[in-house]
Amino acid sequence: MISPLTRSRAEEMLRRIKRFSSPAFKKQMSERFGIQTDKAVGTSVTTLRLLVKGLPRPDQELAEALWGTGVHEARMMASMLADPQQMTREKLDAWVRELNSWDICDLCCANLFAKVKNPLKLAERWIRREEEFVRRAGFATLCVLAAPRAKTKDEELIKMLPLVKNHACDPRPMVYKAVNWALRNIGKKNPRLTPKAIACAEEILDLYSDNKSARWVANNALWELKSPKIKAMVAKRK
């Protein structure tokens, strides 16, 4: 239950978000970056980060009040304020079902979903779902967990490669681009994982020889993972 005081705080934050909005930036969000702007006001993520700077965090009640407004940028801010420990399975599923654009999806994954208890299990469960942005959220969460500084163990990431292979043929750009992102991140995490990711990409090419999405996923990943610059960078990682 959200208190009247918290609702008032959320309304004030929403006023601040709108104060720094720009019709020109909202247009750019849509036309240049392909962001769904039906519920957006046109405020940058950089501005949102400045607005939450100095606020006590986490603040789950304020996060839920902001999410409840339905405003694109307010929900982005909610992901910055939410407490991963208070995000139940039911609440996580409710939030992910309402995602409708790649930017808020990926931001929620980085700020919140990758920080909950057992995030790889969450990612796996969402990857197995059919909804476009639920599946993307699963792969985007995996991307965060495969980042160079993430503490995810190699064997845990290797276990996720069959899901990468299975969904490389998803025809939806918001999904197959996230599949590619996950494959590349796993391969770049350290030198031990690079050959595993390359092998997965080669298996994708063999398995889906006539699938345009899958071939792009695999070829793009192979191009990056085999480039001298990337190989030199990954070689320095433990």
Side-chain angles (χ1 to χ4, degrees):
M1 188 71 177
I2 299 173
S3 69
L5 177 59
T6 300
R7 291 192 185 280
S8 177
R9 292 171 61 214
E11 290 169 1
E12 173 57 27
M13 293 307 299
L14 189 55
R15 282 193 289 270
R16 294 182 187 180
I17 290 170
K18 291 179 178 179
R19 191 180 306 151
F20 291 98
S21 66
S22 161
F25 183 73
K26 180 178 177 179
K27 183 178 180 181
Q28 186 181 55
M29 287 168 65
S30 176
E31 295 182 356
R32 184 176 178 183
F33 299 108
I35 295 170
Q36 175 59 252
T37 58
D38 288 354
K39 296 182 179 180
V41 296
T43 306
S44 71
V45 175
T46 301
T47 299
L48 297 178
R49 294 193 190 283
L50 289 173
L51 289 174
V52 301
K53 189 176 182 180
L55 293 179
R57 285 186 276 181
D59 191 333
Q60 182 66 20
E61 191 174 0
L62 179 56
E64 291 186 28
L66 287 167
W67 190 271
T69 66
V71 176
H72 188 77
E73 290 87 350
R75 288 186 161 183
M76 285 183 159
M77 186 179 285
S79 77
M80 302 174 190
L81 295 170
D83 183 356
Q85 303 305 313
Q86 294 189 54
M87 292 295 293
T88 63
R89 174 171 174 154
E90 292 74 21
K91 198 165 294 181
L92 286 164
D93 284 347
W95 282 31
V96 79
R97 281 196 301 269
E98 295 182 2
L99 298 176
N100 68 342
S101 190
W102 67 265
D103 60 327
I104 188 170
C105 176
D106 297 355
L107 198 67
C108 283
C109 293
N111 290 338
L112 181 60
F113 300 156
K115 298 177 182 179
V116 302
K117 186 177 180 181
N118 297 322
L120 268 181
K121 289 185 178 180
L122 178 71
E124 179 179 358
R125 183 163 61 83
W126 284 350
I127 287 170
R128 295 182 186 278
R129 295 263 293 273
E130 185 61 33
E131 303 97 316
E132 181 177 15
F133 283 99
V134 176
R135 182 169 290 171
R136 182 184 175 95
F139 279 111
T141 299
L142 175 57
C143 291
V144 177
L145 297 172
R149 294 185 180 181
K151 296 180 180 180
T152 317
K153 296 179 180 178
D154 288 3
E155 55 267 30
E156 293 177 323
L157 293 173
I158 291 170
K159 289 180 180 178
M160 300 297 285
L161 287 174
L163 289 173
V164 171
K165 181 172 65 176
N166 291 345
H167 295 290
C169 61
D170 193 307
R172 299 169 293 187
M174 291 297 103
V175 176
Y176 72 71
K177 288 182 179 181
V179 175
N180 167 264
W181 180 20
L183 181 57
R184 289 184 292 111
N185 270 21
I186 292 172
K188 291 186 294 182
K189 185 167 176 59
N190 60 54
R192 299 179 301 278
L193 288 171
T194 305
K196 301 291 185 181
I198 288 175
C200 181
E202 291 172 344
E203 289 174 11
I204 289 170
L205 288 175
D206 289 338
L207 188 61
Y208 305 108
S209 59
D210 296 325
N211 185 281
K212 184 178 179 180
S213 300
R215 293 192 66 81
W216 181 86
V217 168
N219 284 322
N220 181 268
L222 288 171
W223 174 82
E224 181 166 356
L225 295 176
K226 290 184 176 182
S227 72
K229 181 178 179 180
I230 295 300
K231 289 169 70 175
M233 177 187 71
V234 174
K236 299 176 182 178
R237 295 173 177 166
K238 295 182 179 180

